[in-house]
Amino acid sequence: MLKLGLLSLLACAALVRAETGYDAWLRYAPLEGAALERYRLTVPAVVAVLDPSPVAMSARAEIVRGVKGMLGRTLREESSVPKESAIVMGTVAQLGGLIPAVTLAPDAFWLKSTTQGTGHFIVIAASNDRGLLYGAFALLRKITLGEGLANLDLRETPYAPVRWVNHWDRLNGTIERGYGGNSIFWENDHVRQDLTRVADYARLLASIGIDACSINNVNADPRLLTAEYTPEIARIADAMRPWGVRVAISVDFGSPQSLGKLDTFDPLDPRVAAWWKAHVDELYAAAPDLAGIVLKADSEGRVGPSAYHRTHADAANVVARALAPHGGLLFYRGFVYDHHMDWQNLKNDRGRAAYDNFHALDGQFEANVIVQIKNGPIDFQVREPASPLFGGLEKTNQAIELQVTQEYFGQARHTVFLVPYWKETLDFDMHAAAGDSTLKALAAGKTFHRPTGGFVGVVNAGLDENWFGNHLSQANLYGYGRLAWNPDLSSQKIADEWTRLTFGANPKVDQTITQMQLTSWRTYENYTGPLGLQTLTDITGDHYGVNVEASERNGWGQWHRADEAGVGMDRTVATGTGYIGQYRPAVADRFESLASCPDDLLLFLHHVPYTHRLHSGKTVIQYIYDSHYEVAAAVSAYVEQWKSLRGLVDEQRFNDVLTQLEYQAGQAVVWRDAVTTWFYRASKIADAKGLVDHYPGRVEAESMTLAGYTVRDISEPTPGRANGPPIVTPAEDASGGKVVACPTGAKSCTASTKFAGQPGWYTLRVEYFDQANGVAHYRAWVNGQAVDEWAADLRLPSIRLDSTTSTRRTIAGIALRPGDEIRIEGVPDGGEVAALDYLEIVAEK
Ligand code: GCU
């Protein structure tokens, strides 16, 4: 009895663990019913691998693991072709006559069913062990997705040789722009002792065809090149190697001077070249399959070749020559721009920088250099056109850099599935040559027959159980890998695959989540920066909340130039910065003319009056208003759609995602109100629908009856920090431009109001501020009866009272009669002042 109890407890524990999100899309959940029966009949009892390498062993182990999970059967492991039916894995040569002789490219695989004697075989053939691994994952994916295994004949070749991920992890264990916890690689300035997570991560990467991973921030810590770290880097390489993932590192270009004690880091100085060679040789002695090096130079304060009036080619080549004998690649980042530009000069344009810096150097880079170019010309904004540099390099290898970590995309607190965005960019025709010159073909080196090229994703997965801090964000890594393998896959196919692998085969679950994911980028765009405005976020701060003007009047060059008269950056050749002229004529002509410029990019490329009519017939200002209201409603609808999955998704992930979506629904309103208010004040054009600046049912906290709370407006400094930033800035971040705050040290404060509407059922929405410097507590009362309480304990990236910390608490099902008193009590904690913005009283249907 006791034993049974313990067993079922253990089984339960396994179930619970499996649903933390740790297993991501590799859950191998048990199949049921007809599917189980079908695969039990078609999957043989033996798995044989003819290749003895560790990567091939991983492939075999994965098949055993997957089949055990899904079919509840443990396959017998063999190392030669058995007489009986089996899954057999090997190179074409090792497989002998089992399949016809074919030539497979590196990493490609062929899944083929065949019969020999009395045996039925499912063959996984490849030209190398990584191909076997990718074939094994493909076979398991087929079973999870319910695809038939009879007459199997699937041959897949990766689209591009380069399918990398970059991590921006610091040696101290924190991650620049990481939203899923601390580093899986680093802790306290050393590689972590326990690298189990690293191996598990490598497995996830392998399952989507990724074969290299850089393990430290592009803003590189020079110490990484000291001898002390070499064996540590090698340990990470050892942990990832069984999954066919090679390690790369980022380096600091000043290292020969700062570490090597040379008096220079001039790339043309022979001593500097010798220094790089010696260090690279040392690295390869410890980790012979190192994939290469990533270099960010002359960018955002990093030193670079400009210190010696040398070119980016000189800088890239000196490191590339050291790597070449080892077969290593040097990724030189194209993200080079001046962040001290004079914003008053209307001809200045950060968007021009990548092309201006690299186009003239085409042909001067070594064969093992890849210029790594961000998808757009600025910096991972919510929408940007494809960077013109992709069409401007013919004799240089290139790779597209995509940001999987959601820096400007709601930092994993908002659901934003990026595959549709990436697809638009990858499919964009740069018109750079007669044949296929879509961006994907250029990046992969196909258009100009380059030796290498491809994809780099900035991932920043962390120690959170679900890797990213948001279950739905996992779809971005999955989608990135699938696109790097095959950019011709549709967004729909990728979303659907991911959903079924991650949440199971229930059609309602699949349809609901897939639809939500597919619409989420457009939704997020329409509250954070429609029509090519970029992301109207706090670009000099946390890159999260709203701050429409943060991009203006500074040298960073993310300008949108919105003022009383109009909005948008004039990047035309005729009257603007000339950026559009960096595209080939077919693209440039389309962008230059207002008549043919796509609405989605209008304000990125043109400056227009607010009354300018879009192709849809709507004015720009009315589009800004309408789109914000539409998408705030759309995110609320996501919450309802998700709720309809209760009981169909395991409880833990159901609740986690529900909490996240409810939070996002509140944030979409904060963005809506802030952006529409700002543009209304600037343009002085009223909303034709009468919604903007009118909030029925809203009671501003500053107009409630206050006990202890004091009203703060935008000019006052943050409490406790006399010279700190103003309490609410910018003004549009708070409804009515004011908030109420409870002085630090006070026991508690209250804000109350008398209800004056019709009797009935209501939802109360309390907009409060959840700063990062304390955990304030709140209670809500109706006529002295406590109806809710909560703690302001989210991990939001700000200590200020602004849109980043503005958070919504929803209290549903409250009966109200005229004269009822609604009271909110706030208890401050640390620097957190239990601030309130407003209370909204919404009649329930
Ligand atoms: C962005 C990001 C930085 C990062 C940089 C880069 O600007 O905010 O944190 O260092 O990109 O790509 O190098």
Side-chain angles (χ1 to χ4, degrees):
M1 195 53 199
L2 190 71
K3 205 165 149 202
L4 243 181
L6 195 71
L7 275 180
S8 54
L9 209 72
L10 283 176
C12 268
L15 211 72
V16 170
R17 185 184 177 284
E19 303 304 331
T20 59
Y22 189 80
D23 292 327
W25 52 87
L26 298 178
R27 291 162 65 239
Y28 303 134
L31 297 181
E32 288 166 4
L36 178 64
E37 254 170 61
R38 186 152 61 99
Y39 287 112
R40 280 191 166 185
L41 287 176
T42 45
V43 173
V46 180
V47 56
V49 67
L50 312 180
D51 182 320
S53 79
V55 173
M57 290 300 140
S58 299
R60 186 174 68 180
E62 191 68 21
I63 297 268
V64 172
R65 177 175 177 167
V67 169
K68 182 158 191 217
M70 290 188 282
L71 308 185
R73 289 186 162 165
T74 301
L75 301 189
R76 198 173 74 235
E77 295 180 343
E78 298 272 0
S79 309
S80 58
V81 183
K83 296 224 166 357
E84 66 204 286
S85 301
I87 299 171
V88 181
M89 296 188 259
T91 61
V92 176
Q94 288 163 339
L95 287 162
L98 211 50
I99 53 162
V102 288
T103 309
L104 294 171
D107 298 352
F109 61 80
W110 187 15
L111 302 185
K112 178 95 179 86
S113 51
T114 183
T115 304
Q116 202 174 66
T118 52
H120 298 289
F121 297 96
I122 294 176
V123 176
I124 304 177
S127 69
N128 58 356
D129 54 9
R130 275 204 307 263
L132 296 181
L133 188 57
Y134 300 153
F137 280 114
L139 179 65
L140 291 167
R141 188 157 55 227
K142 276 188 158 301
I143 299 176
T144 322
L145 296 177
E147 295 170 1
L149 301 184
N151 305 320
L152 200 56
D153 189 2
L154 174 72
R155 222 192 282 190
E156 288 196 11
T157 304
Y159 186 85
V162 168
R163 303 178 308 279
W164 282 39
V165 295
N166 283 180
H167 276 249
W168 290 353
D169 299 21
R170 303 187 186 96
L171 308 193
N172 68 6
T174 62
I175 304 181
E176 181 155 337
R177 318 298 178 194
Y179 311 107
N182 272 359
S183 174
I184 60 172
F185 301 108
W186 303 95
E187 183 181 42
N188 298 330
D189 292 329
H190 289 285
V191 166
R192 304 178 71 83
Q193 276 311 313
D194 180 1
L195 293 181
T196 316
R197 287 268 320 222
V198 170
D200 288 349
Y201 180 59
R203 174 173 164 258
L204 281 180
L205 294 180
S207 75
I208 46 173
I210 304 293
D211 73 347
C213 172
S214 76
I215 55 171
N216 65 304
N217 196 355
V218 283
N219 298 315
D221 189 325
R223 288 177 301 164
L224 193 67
L225 284 179
T226 53
E228 183 190 3
Y229 283 100
T230 312
E232 301 199 15
I233 296 168
R235 278 185 53 231
I236 297 181
D238 291 346
M240 300 189 106
R241 188 173 295 114
W243 297 100
V245 179
R246 293 160 304 143
V247 156
I249 58 168
S250 295
V251 300
D252 177 63
F253 195 62
S255 300
Q257 188 177 54
S258 60
L259 279 185
K261 303 287 174 257
L262 298 181
D263 55 11
T264 178
F265 57 91
D266 179 355
L268 296 193
D269 188 310
R271 291 169 303 153
V272 170
W275 189 91
W276 281 112
K277 185 176 171 348
H279 274 73
V280 167
D281 287 348
E282 243 171 62
L283 281 168
Y284 275 88
D289 56 355
L290 206 73
I293 284 179
V294 184
L295 181 54
K296 173 177 178 179
D298 276 332
S299 166
E300 299 186 329
R302 312 298 304 175
V303 298
S306 67
Y308 301 96
H309 306 291
R310 307 299 186 201
T311 70
H312 296 297
D314 296 331
N317 291 344
V318 70
V319 187
R321 285 185 197 116
L323 286 163
H326 305 283
L329 295 173
L330 188 275
F331 285 71
Y332 197 89
R333 296 187 80 234
F335 185 60
V336 177
Y337 68 100
D338 172 9
H339 63 276
H340 298 291
M341 266 184 306
D342 174 9
W343 95 286
Q344 283 176 315
N345 182 343
L346 297 181
K347 296 288 175 193
N348 278 346
D349 185 359
R350 169 173 167 183
R352 293 187 57 112
Y355 188 97
D356 283 346
N357 278 304
F358 287 89
H359 174 66
L361 299 175
D362 191 20
Q364 296 181 28
F365 293 92
E366 292 285 340
N368 62 331
V369 173
I370 293 181
V371 177
Q372 179 171 325
I373 308 165
K374 290 194 182 189
N375 59 289
I378 301 289
D379 187 5
F380 302 135
Q381 299 299 288
V382 71
R383 186 186 291 266
E384 294 184 43
S387 170
L389 184 56
F390 291 108
L393 298 176
E394 298 186 12
K395 292 171 286 200
T396 303
N397 306 321
Q398 48 174 278
I400 181 170
E401 181 179 308
L402 298 168
Q403 200 183 36
V404 178
T405 188
Q406 292 174 228
E407 176 182 358
Y408 284 97
F409 287 88
Q411 306 189 353
R413 295 180 182 88
H414 296 231
T415 285
V416 190
F417 180 55
L418 289 160
V419 167
Y421 181 18
W422 298 335
K423 277 288 287 181
E424 276 198 30
T425 304
L426 292 169
D427 291 344
F428 188 79
D429 189 349
M430 303 292 295
H431 289 280
D436 179 359
S437 67
T438 51
L439 193 152
K440 61 193 169 196
L442 285 158
K446 292 182 193 295
T447 309
F448 293 112
H449 312 291
R450 300 298 313 159
T452 190
F455 298 78
V456 179
V458 179
V459 177
N460 298 357
L463 283 176
D464 271 13
E465 267 302 286
N466 68 25
W467 306 91
F468 294 102
N470 174 1
H471 298 288
L472 300 186
S473 294
Q474 293 179 347
N476 287 325
L477 176 56
Y478 183 82
Y480 164 70
R482 296 292 283 144
L483 283 180
W485 181 269
N486 178 6
D488 296 328
L489 291 173
S490 71
S491 300
Q492 166 85 37
K493 161 103 176 115
I494 293 173
D496 174 68
E497 261 184 15
W498 175 81
T499 305
R500 286 158 68 197
L501 296 171
T502 308
F503 286 101
N506 182 303
K508 182 175 161 76
V509 173
D510 181 24
Q511 214 215 339
T512 306
I513 299 180
T514 299
Q515 266 314 102
M516 196 182 290
Q517 292 278 31
L518 288 175
T519 53
S520 61
W521 166 49
R522 170 68 81 174
T523 298
Y524 183 78
E525 175 185 29
N526 272 341
Y527 60 85
T528 58
L531 302 175
L533 274 169
Q534 307 174 69
T535 321
L536 298 175
T537 187
D538 190 356
I539 70 128
T540 53
D542 52 38
H543 299 184
Y544 183 71
V546 202
N547 195 336
V548 180
E549 284 180 67
S551 51
E552 309 305 284
R553 284 175 285 281
N554 61 42
W556 289 94
Q558 287 185 218
W559 312 316
H560 50 62
R561 301 203 178 283
D563 57 23
E564 294 77 29
V567 52
M569 263 294 275
D570 182 357
R571 292 190 155 103
T572 61
V573 175
T575 55
T577 67
Y579 161 87
I580 290 175
Q582 295 181 336
Y583 291 98
R584 304 281 178 141
V587 180
D589 291 350
R590 182 147 57 89
F591 284 172
E592 179 84 4
S593 153
L594 271 176
S596 51
C597 179
D599 285 348
D600 285 335
L601 289 172
L602 177 70
L603 305 180
F604 193 90
L605 299 170
H606 293 268
H607 184 80
V608 294
Y610 290 107
T611 49
H612 173 84
R613 285 202 186 272
L614 301 169
H615 297 301
S616 65
K618 219 175 238 191
T619 61
V620 164
I621 191 71
Q622 195 59 41
Y623 184 91
I624 291 176
Y625 295 156
D626 289 353
S627 60
H628 280 84
Y629 276 84
E630 280 158 19
V631 294
V635 185
S636 288
Y638 290 164
V639 174
E640 297 313 312
Q641 289 153 18
W642 186 262
K643 280 182 182 165
S644 77
L645 304 184
R646 193 186 295 276
L648 303 177
V649 167
D650 57 283
E651 210 178 320
Q652 179 170 354
R653 290 187 302 168
F654 176 81
N655 287 331
D656 289 349
V657 174
L658 180 59
T659 305
Q660 177 264 311
L661 288 173
E662 280 174 339
Y663 167 78
Q664 185 181 350
Q667 275 284 297
V669 172
V670 172
W671 273 89
R672 178 198 74 188
D673 294 354
V675 176
T676 55
T677 304
W678 193 94
F679 278 97
Y680 174 45
R681 299 226 168 102
S683 69
K684 303 198 173 46
I685 300 174
D687 170 20
K689 297 193 176 146
L691 298 171
V692 171
D693 216 25
H694 295 109
Y695 306 109
R698 185 173 292 186
V699 186
E700 295 294 344
E702 57 272 21
S703 67
M704 292 168 80
T705 306
L706 304 177
Y709 271 122
T710 54
V711 179
R712 307 292 178 116
D713 69 25
I714 57 167
S715 57
E716 295 178 54
T718 304
R721 298 176 67 206
N723 299 318
I727 190 151
V728 178
T729 182
E732 68 270 14
D733 276 17
S735 187
K738 288 186 166 63
V739 302
V740 303
C742 190
T744 40
K747 204 157 159 272
S748 81
C749 300
T750 60
S752 37
T753 187
K754 288 252 190 285
F755 176 66
Q758 298 296 314
W761 292 102
Y762 288 86
T763 293
L764 306 182
R765 292 188 188 136
V766 182
E767 196 68 26
Y768 67 102
F769 292 86
D770 190 340
Q771 300 157 258
N773 50 348
V775 179
H777 283 79
Y778 293 88
R779 257 177 244 134
W781 315 75
V782 175
N783 292 332
Q785 180 184 347
V787 292
D788 196 19
E789 61 180 302
W790 68 95
D793 58 359
L794 300 176
R795 289 179 298 168
L796 299 170
S798 173
I799 59 165
R800 292 170 24 171
L801 302 176
D802 59 13
S803 55
T804 293
T805 54
S806 184
T807 305
R808 186 165 89 177
R809 178 76 178 184
T810 301
I811 312 166
I814 300 295
L816 293 177
R817 294 155 309 177
D820 283 350
E821 187 205 47
I822 304 164
R823 181 156 47 99
I824 312 295
E825 181 189 6
V827 179
D829 175 64
E832 189 169 71
V833 290
L836 294 169
D837 190 0
Y838 61 82
L839 166 72
E840 225 163 52
I841 307 170
V842 187
E844 291 181 353
K845 290 189 186 105

